PDB file of all heavy atoms in Angstrom:
ATOM      1  N   GLU M 203      93.365  22.636  12.234  1.00 96.00           N
ATOM      2  CA  GLU M 203      93.930  21.300  12.091  1.00 96.00           C
ATOM      3  C   GLU M 203      93.323  20.321  13.081  1.00 96.00           C
ATOM      4  O   GLU M 203      93.663  19.137  13.072  1.00 96.00           O
ATOM      5  CB  GLU M 203      95.451  21.362  12.246  1.00 96.00           C
ATOM      6  CG  GLU M 203      96.105  22.146  11.113  1.00 96.00           C
ATOM      7  CD  GLU M 203      97.618  22.203  11.218  1.00 96.00           C
ATOM      8  OE1 GLU M 203      98.183  21.582  12.144  1.00 96.00           O
ATOM      9  OE2 GLU M 203      98.224  22.866  10.379  1.00 96.00           O
ATOM     10  N   ALA M 204      92.422  20.799  13.941  1.00 93.00           N
ATOM     11  CA  ALA M 204      91.768  19.918  14.909  1.00 93.00           C
ATOM     12  C   ALA M 204      90.777  19.018  14.189  1.00 93.00           C
ATOM     13  O   ALA M 204      90.185  19.401  13.173  1.00 93.00           O
ATOM     14  CB  ALA M 204      91.050  20.749  15.967  1.00 93.00           C
ATOM     15  N   ASP M 205      90.592  17.833  14.707  1.00 92.00           N
ATOM     16  CA  ASP M 205      89.649  16.877  14.133  1.00 92.00           C
ATOM     17  C   ASP M 205      88.251  17.223  14.638  1.00 92.00           C
ATOM     18  O   ASP M 205      87.902  16.907  15.776  1.00 92.00           O
ATOM     19  CB  ASP M 205      90.042  15.458  14.538  1.00 92.00           C
ATOM     20  CG  ASP M 205      89.196  14.412  13.853  1.00 92.00           C
ATOM     21  OD1 ASP M 205      88.603  14.712  12.787  1.00 92.00           O
ATOM     22  OD2 ASP M 205      89.111  13.283  14.380  1.00 92.00           O
ATOM     23  N   VAL M 206      87.489  17.928  13.817  1.00 94.00           N
ATOM     24  CA  VAL M 206      86.136  18.345  14.190  1.00 94.00           C
ATOM     25  C   VAL M 206      85.149  17.883  13.133  1.00 94.00           C
ATOM     26  O   VAL M 206      85.530  17.590  11.999  1.00 94.00           O
ATOM     27  CB  VAL M 206      86.040  19.885  14.372  1.00 94.00           C
ATOM     28  CG1 VAL M 206      86.914  20.356  15.523  1.00 94.00           C
ATOM     29  CG2 VAL M 206      86.396  20.619  13.090  1.00 94.00           C
ATOM     30  N   ILE M 207      83.889  17.854  13.510  1.00 92.00           N
ATOM     31  CA  ILE M 207      82.840  17.428  12.580  1.00 92.00           C
ATOM     32  C   ILE M 207      82.630  18.478  11.486  1.00 92.00           C
ATOM     33  O   ILE M 207      82.470  18.153  10.312  1.00 92.00           O
ATOM     34  CB  ILE M 207      81.525  17.163  13.337  1.00 92.00           C
ATOM     35  CG1 ILE M 207      81.704  15.936  14.234  1.00 92.00           C
ATOM     36  CG2 ILE M 207      80.350  16.973  12.379  1.00 92.00           C
ATOM     37  CD1 ILE M 207      80.536  15.669  15.164  1.00 92.00           C
ATOM     38  N   TYR M 208      82.653  19.760  11.884  1.00 94.00           N
ATOM     39  CA  TYR M 208      82.367  20.833  10.930  1.00 94.00           C
ATOM     40  C   TYR M 208      83.120  22.082  11.350  1.00 94.00           C
ATOM     41  O   TYR M 208      83.080  22.474  12.519  1.00 94.00           O
ATOM     42  CB  TYR M 208      80.858  21.105  10.894  1.00 94.00           C
ATOM     43  CG  TYR M 208      80.442  22.236   9.983  1.00 94.00           C
ATOM     44  CD1 TYR M 208      80.370  22.048   8.605  1.00 94.00           C
ATOM     45  CD2 TYR M 208      80.107  23.480  10.489  1.00 94.00           C
ATOM     46  CE1 TYR M 208      79.980  23.074   7.756  1.00 94.00           C
ATOM     47  CE2 TYR M 208      79.709  24.515   9.650  1.00 94.00           C
ATOM     48  CZ  TYR M 208      79.653  24.302   8.286  1.00 94.00           C
ATOM     49  OH  TYR M 208      79.264  25.318   7.452  1.00 94.00           O
ATOM     50  N   ASP M 209      83.838  22.691  10.433  1.00 95.00           N
ATOM     51  CA  ASP M 209      84.508  23.959  10.731  1.00 95.00           C
ATOM     52  C   ASP M 209      84.280  24.992   9.629  1.00 95.00           C
ATOM     53  O   ASP M 209      85.088  25.849   9.375  1.00 95.00           O
ATOM     54  CB  ASP M 209      85.997  23.756  11.013  1.00 95.00           C
ATOM     55  CG  ASP M 209      86.778  23.211   9.824  1.00 95.00           C
ATOM     56  OD1 ASP M 209      86.175  22.962   8.749  1.00 95.00           O
ATOM     57  OD2 ASP M 209      87.999  23.014   9.967  1.00 95.00           O
ATOM     58  N   GLY M 210      83.137  24.908   8.975  1.00 94.00           N
ATOM     59  CA  GLY M 210      82.781  25.888   7.945  1.00 94.00           C
ATOM     60  C   GLY M 210      83.311  25.473   6.589  1.00 94.00           C
ATOM     61  O   GLY M 210      83.388  24.286   6.268  1.00 94.00           O
ATOM     62  N   PHE M 211      83.697  26.454   5.812  1.00 96.00           N
ATOM     63  CA  PHE M 211      84.159  26.216   4.446  1.00 96.00           C
ATOM     64  C   PHE M 211      85.667  26.035   4.417  1.00 96.00           C
ATOM     65  O   PHE M 211      86.393  26.656   5.190  1.00 96.00           O
ATOM     66  CB  PHE M 211      83.770  27.389   3.546  1.00 96.00           C
ATOM     67  CG  PHE M 211      82.297  27.497   3.308  1.00 96.00           C
ATOM     68  CD1 PHE M 211      81.501  28.268   4.126  1.00 96.00           C
ATOM     69  CD2 PHE M 211      81.703  26.801   2.271  1.00 96.00           C
ATOM     70  CE1 PHE M 211      80.129  28.352   3.922  1.00 96.00           C
ATOM     71  CE2 PHE M 211      80.337  26.874   2.055  1.00 96.00           C
ATOM     72  CZ  PHE M 211      79.548  27.656   2.880  1.00 96.00           C
ATOM     73  N   PRO M 212      86.157  25.194   3.503  1.00 97.00           N
ATOM     74  CA  PRO M 212      87.612  25.058   3.354  1.00 97.00           C
ATOM     75  C   PRO M 212      88.215  26.327   2.735  1.00 97.00           C
ATOM     76  O   PRO M 212      87.501  27.150   2.152  1.00 97.00           O
ATOM     77  CB  PRO M 212      87.769  23.865   2.410  1.00 97.00           C
ATOM     78  CG  PRO M 212      86.467  23.704   1.719  1.00 97.00           C
ATOM     79  CD  PRO M 212      85.422  24.313   2.613  1.00 97.00           C
ATOM     80  N   THR M 213      89.518  26.464   2.864  1.00 98.00           N
ATOM     81  CA  THR M 213      90.223  27.598   2.275  1.00 98.00           C
ATOM     82  C   THR M 213      89.861  27.710   0.795  1.00 98.00           C
ATOM     83  O   THR M 213      89.868  26.723   0.064  1.00 98.00           O
ATOM     84  CB  THR M 213      91.745  27.419   2.443  1.00 98.00           C
ATOM     85  OG1 THR M 213      92.050  27.424   3.841  1.00 98.00           O
ATOM     86  CG2 THR M 213      92.512  28.525   1.747  1.00 98.00           C
ATOM     87  N   GLY M 214      89.529  28.925   0.386  1.00 98.00           N
ATOM     88  CA  GLY M 214      89.184  29.160  -1.009  1.00 98.00           C
ATOM     89  C   GLY M 214      88.454  30.463  -1.195  1.00 98.00           C
ATOM     90  O   GLY M 214      88.199  31.198  -0.235  1.00 98.00           O
ATOM     91  N   SER M 215      88.106  30.750  -2.420  1.00 98.00           N
ATOM     92  CA  SER M 215      87.383  31.961  -2.780  1.00 98.00           C
ATOM     93  C   SER M 215      86.002  31.570  -3.284  1.00 98.00           C
ATOM     94  O   SER M 215      85.874  30.660  -4.114  1.00 98.00           O
ATOM     95  CB  SER M 215      88.140  32.721  -3.871  1.00 98.00           C
ATOM     96  OG  SER M 215      87.501  33.938  -4.160  1.00 98.00           O
ATOM     97  N   TYR M 216      84.987  32.251  -2.771  1.00 98.00           N
ATOM     98  CA  TYR M 216      83.595  31.939  -3.088  1.00 98.00           C
ATOM     99  C   TYR M 216      82.874  33.225  -3.474  1.00 98.00           C
ATOM    100  O   TYR M 216      83.188  34.294  -2.962  1.00 98.00           O
ATOM    101  CB  TYR M 216      82.885  31.338  -1.859  1.00 98.00           C
ATOM    102  CG  TYR M 216      83.583  30.140  -1.267  1.00 98.00           C
ATOM    103  CD1 TYR M 216      84.588  30.280  -0.314  1.00 98.00           C
ATOM    104  CD2 TYR M 216      83.243  28.851  -1.669  1.00 98.00           C
ATOM    105  CE1 TYR M 216      85.229  29.179   0.234  1.00 98.00           C
ATOM    106  CE2 TYR M 216      83.882  27.737  -1.130  1.00 98.00           C
ATOM    107  CZ  TYR M 216      84.882  27.917  -0.176  1.00 98.00           C
ATOM    108  OH  TYR M 216      85.512  26.827   0.353  1.00 98.00           O
ATOM    109  N   SER M 217      81.880  33.110  -4.334  1.00 98.00           N
ATOM    110  CA  SER M 217      81.032  34.273  -4.607  1.00 98.00           C
ATOM    111  C   SER M 217      79.952  34.323  -3.524  1.00 98.00           C
ATOM    112  O   SER M 217      79.569  33.290  -2.970  1.00 98.00           O
ATOM    113  CB  SER M 217      80.391  34.168  -5.994  1.00 98.00           C
ATOM    114  OG  SER M 217      79.519  33.065  -6.062  1.00 98.00           O
ATOM    115  N   TYR M 218      79.523  35.535  -3.194  1.00 97.00           N
ATOM    116  CA  TYR M 218      78.457  35.651  -2.207  1.00 97.00           C
ATOM    117  C   TYR M 218      77.511  36.777  -2.569  1.00 97.00           C
ATOM    118  O   TYR M 218      77.849  37.684  -3.327  1.00 97.00           O
ATOM    119  CB  TYR M 218      79.022  35.856  -0.791  1.00 97.00           C
ATOM    120  CG  TYR M 218      79.334  37.294  -0.432  1.00 97.00           C
ATOM    121  CD1 TYR M 218      78.400  38.079   0.248  1.00 97.00           C
ATOM    122  CD2 TYR M 218      80.541  37.875  -0.763  1.00 97.00           C
ATOM    123  CE1 TYR M 218      78.687  39.396   0.576  1.00 97.00           C
ATOM    124  CE2 TYR M 218      80.832  39.173  -0.434  1.00 97.00           C
ATOM    125  CZ  TYR M 218      79.899  39.939   0.237  1.00 97.00           C
ATOM    126  OH  TYR M 218      80.180  41.254   0.553  1.00 97.00           O
ATOM    127  N   ALA M 219      76.321  36.691  -2.000  1.00 96.00           N
ATOM    128  CA  ALA M 219      75.313  37.742  -2.142  1.00 96.00           C
ATOM    129  C   ALA M 219      74.480  37.748  -0.869  1.00 96.00           C
ATOM    130  O   ALA M 219      74.399  36.744  -0.164  1.00 96.00           O
ATOM    131  CB  ALA M 219      74.424  37.475  -3.358  1.00 96.00           C
ATOM    132  N   ILE M 220      73.893  38.886  -0.593  1.00 96.00           N
ATOM    133  CA  ILE M 220      72.987  39.013   0.545  1.00 96.00           C
ATOM    134  C   ILE M 220      71.574  39.111  -0.005  1.00 96.00           C
ATOM    135  O   ILE M 220      71.277  39.990  -0.812  1.00 96.00           O
ATOM    136  CB  ILE M 220      73.314  40.249   1.397  1.00 96.00           C
ATOM    137  CG1 ILE M 220      74.726  40.130   1.972  1.00 96.00           C
ATOM    138  CG2 ILE M 220      72.287  40.417   2.508  1.00 96.00           C
ATOM    139  CD1 ILE M 220      75.192  41.363   2.712  1.00 96.00           C
ATOM    140  N   LEU M 221      70.725  38.196   0.413  1.00 95.00           N
ATOM    141  CA  LEU M 221      69.315  38.209   0.014  1.00 95.00           C
ATOM    142  C   LEU M 221      68.530  38.887   1.129  1.00 95.00           C
ATOM    143  O   LEU M 221      68.768  38.616   2.306  1.00 95.00           O
ATOM    144  CB  LEU M 221      68.793  36.786  -0.167  1.00 95.00           C
ATOM    145  CG  LEU M 221      69.582  35.840  -1.056  1.00 95.00           C
ATOM    146  CD1 LEU M 221      69.007  34.432  -0.974  1.00 95.00           C
ATOM    147  CD2 LEU M 221      69.559  36.335  -2.471  1.00 95.00           C
TER     148      LEU M 221
END
Side-chain angles (χ1 to χ4, degrees):
E203 294 181 3
D205 186 22
V206 296
I207 292 173
Y208 178 78
D209 63 359
F211 291 92
T213 296
S215 184
Y216 306 87
S217 64
Y218 85 95
I220 298 174
L221 308 173

